[in-house]
Amino acid sequence: MMNSLIREMLMHDQKFVQRCRAEAFRDLEPEISSKRQEMHQLEEAAQQQASANAALAAQEKQLRQQIEEARQRIETEQANLHDVEQEKERVLARLDEDAALRLGLRATVRFTERFTAGQSSGSAAENVLNPVRYPELGTPSAGDSIADALKHNLRQFGIVPVRQSADMNMLVDGIRSTLSATHLLAVDSMFAAPLANTLSYAVRSVPASHVSVPTDWNDSSALDDLLNDDRQRVLVLDNLFDTVNESMLFELSRAQSETIVILPVGAYGNLRLVAREIWNRIFYVPTERYVALPQSAPTPAFAKHSESNPRMEGQEILDKAESLGPKIGNGLLTTSMILPVTIGMAGDAMNAEGIIQWIAPHLTLQLSLHQGLEQAQSFANGCTDAYSCNTLLTRVWKRNGR
């Protein structure tokens, strides 16, 4: 009872209570002071972090604003670049049209001048073309087959592959398959003479003939005489593409002759100036994966045994052309696919190597003329030999493409 009274009295004594509390917290004071100091430091750190966050937020806002301004400038520049590209294409197209128009007008004027001169003089001597044979190279050796002779001659005349995806068998098979469908070959000018001599020695054991065709020359009768002259089995006609002699090219495409005609291509940009229908009968020989080296003393060969080319049935060709259409985006008329399809079928009949690669550049060229460069590039990129197809497009459609 007494203890309870004493406890009650002490609990109501504020001085005693405070003294007890001070005594109790005396040992905890260092820890409490440390915790308070730590809390103060944390509050300062939090304030610093808040300030840093605010600064970063301001920087982020500024950067986002700069990014947005840069994006808008990029979009503006892209739009300006697109306008410039469109204007460039319009100018280039107009230049091409103007060039074709000038060539056509020049051809008309010169034809009129020649006709008038012929009327007055009564002479057609200026329309006569006199082909000349390339130099003789000694006595050719005998090969067993046309394929053997072609392969031997290609090497002898310096034509060799420069890419791993190409070899001589593919080139030989491609040439043989092509000659089953057409005798009109458009060839890079560096390869024209070597290829012509390769073919001429293989089939006749004599050098090929060549003739330079004057600008705008066109004489159907003289051309028929030239193509049906048995003295030349292989003939190089220079300048037709380089001078855009379109009327002569059409005459050739309509001619009926066994003479193999090589048409050199030097100015690739001119290929887009001639009518696209030209390529329904003239085949572009892809040489992008090969190189023509100079040779000092080649020893060509001829084939001891002649070989007949495979003949394709008309309905089979049409069926194959129809099946090919979707693979090239239905970008060509059936008429335009007959030549490459026939060559491909002939190659299959011969078990030729890489025949699809062989005809792909020709199809690429046709697509670019019929449907535009974009569709042609899309097709080229999907080809096995995308290198040859894209290289051809660059040469034909890009300024200074070579």
Side-chain angles (χ1 to χ4, degrees):
M1 184 67 177
M2 183 61 69
N3 290 337
S4 298
L5 290 173
I6 294 172
R7 186 171 61 249
E8 186 70 21
M9 288 176 62
L10 292 176
M11 289 180 62
H12 286 86
D13 188 342
Q14 293 299 322
K15 292 182 178 180
F16 178 77
V17 171
Q18 290 177 357
R19 195 163 51 247
C20 289
R21 286 178 178 174
E23 191 67 27
F25 285 108
R26 180 181 300 168
D27 295 335
L28 297 176
E29 188 64 30
E31 183 177 355
I32 292 173
S33 177
S34 175
K35 293 296 184 182
R36 286 175 177 170
Q37 184 176 2
E38 184 177 348
M39 289 180 62
H40 179 69
Q41 292 174 348
L42 289 174
E43 288 176 353
E44 289 183 345
Q47 290 177 355
Q48 293 175 356
Q49 187 63 48
S51 299
N53 290 342
L56 288 175
Q59 291 180 0
E60 180 185 12
K61 181 179 180 180
Q62 183 179 5
L63 289 174
R64 286 183 180 277
Q65 184 177 357
Q66 292 176 352
I67 291 172
E68 179 63 22
E69 291 174 354
R71 186 185 64 79
Q72 291 178 355
R73 286 197 300 270
I74 291 173
E75 290 179 351
T76 301
E77 292 301 325
Q78 287 178 336
N80 292 338
L81 180 61
H82 179 69
D83 293 340
V84 169
E85 289 291 334
Q86 285 189 327
E87 181 62 24
K88 184 186 76 172
E89 292 301 324
R90 284 194 292 268
V91 170
L92 293 179
R94 191 160 59 247
L95 287 174
D96 287 344
E97 292 173 358
D98 291 346
L101 177 60
R102 287 196 301 272
L103 289 168
L105 291 174
R106 186 175 62 183
T108 302
V109 170
R110 293 192 177 184
F111 175 79
T112 303
E113 290 174 349
R114 286 200 305 269
F115 180 79
T116 304
Q119 288 276 353
S120 61
S121 65
S123 173
E126 63 176 12
N127 285 339
V128 176
L129 296 180
N130 295 311
V132 178
R133 279 187 176 175
Y134 290 105
E136 296 276 354
L137 298 173
T139 304
S141 59
D144 290 334
S145 66
I146 187 68
D148 293 333
L150 288 174
K151 188 185 301 184
H152 175 85
N153 291 351
L154 285 170
R155 291 197 180 97
Q156 288 297 308
F157 286 106
I159 299 179
V160 294
V162 291
R163 296 184 67 86
Q164 293 181 350
S165 59
D167 61 35
M168 300 309 292
N169 288 330
M170 294 174 65
L171 183 55
V172 169
D173 289 345
I175 293 171
R176 293 176 61 212
S177 302
T178 300
L179 294 178
S180 297
T182 183
H183 286 169
L184 304 177
L185 311 180
V187 184
D188 185 286
S189 58
M190 294 296 294
F191 293 83
L195 180 58
N197 278 323
T198 289
L199 290 166
S200 187
Y201 273 104
V203 299
R204 284 282 185 90
S205 70
V206 295
S209 299
H210 65 101
V211 62
S212 181
V213 181
T215 302
D216 304 324
W217 184 90
N218 184 30
D219 186 314
S220 300
S221 178
L223 179 62
D224 286 339
D225 292 340
L226 186 65
L227 296 179
N228 293 308
D229 188 341
D230 192 55
R231 289 174 295 180
Q232 57 255 347
R233 181 68 173 83
V234 180
L235 178 63
V236 178
L237 289 181
D238 279 312
N239 294 334
L240 295 190
F241 281 116
D242 292 345
T243 61
V244 196
N245 193 336
E246 195 172 76
S247 60
M248 179 74 161
L249 290 169
F250 272 117
E251 289 284 352
L252 278 173
S253 68
R254 291 189 290 266
Q256 300 295 323
S257 171
E258 292 300 314
T259 299
I260 300 172
V261 179
I262 305 294
L263 302 169
V265 179
Y268 272 79
N270 287 356
L271 298 188
R272 67 178 182 270
L273 298 180
V274 298
R276 60 194 183 188
E277 291 79 10
I278 290 293
W279 302 105
N280 294 348
R281 291 296 306 277
I282 299 174
F283 183 75
Y284 173 77
V285 175
T287 54
E288 286 75 14
R289 295 176 295 156
Y290 300 86
V291 65
L293 301 174
Q295 297 294 311
S296 57
T299 56
F302 66 92
K304 291 189 296 185
H305 308 292
S306 62
E307 301 175 10
S308 59
N309 294 325
R311 295 297 178 184
M312 304 297 113
E313 295 294 333
Q315 189 58 50
E316 292 179 354
I317 295 173
L318 289 175
D319 293 342
K320 189 71 172 180
E322 289 182 3
S323 66
L324 176 64
K327 297 178 182 178
I328 58 175
N330 295 315
L332 295 177
L333 298 173
T334 302
T335 304
S336 299
M337 291 188 289
I338 295 300
L339 177 58
V341 163
T342 305
I343 294 172
M345 294 177 67
D348 291 339
M350 297 178 183
N351 295 317
E353 296 184 26
I355 193 63
I356 300 300
Q357 292 178 244
W358 178 257
I359 65 174
H362 182 88
L363 286 169
T364 301
L365 175 60
Q366 288 183 294
L367 277 172
S368 72
L369 297 173
H370 283 261
Q371 298 298 329
L373 186 57
E374 184 176 350
Q375 185 165 338
Q377 286 176 328
S378 177
F379 171 75
N381 292 333
C383 290
T384 304
D385 185 16
Y387 171 80
S388 294
C389 297
N390 282 310
T391 299
L392 175 59
L393 288 178
T394 299
R395 287 176 167 181
V396 173
W397 290 98
K398 303 295 184 183
R399 293 303 189 268
N400 300 320
R402 298 195 62 167

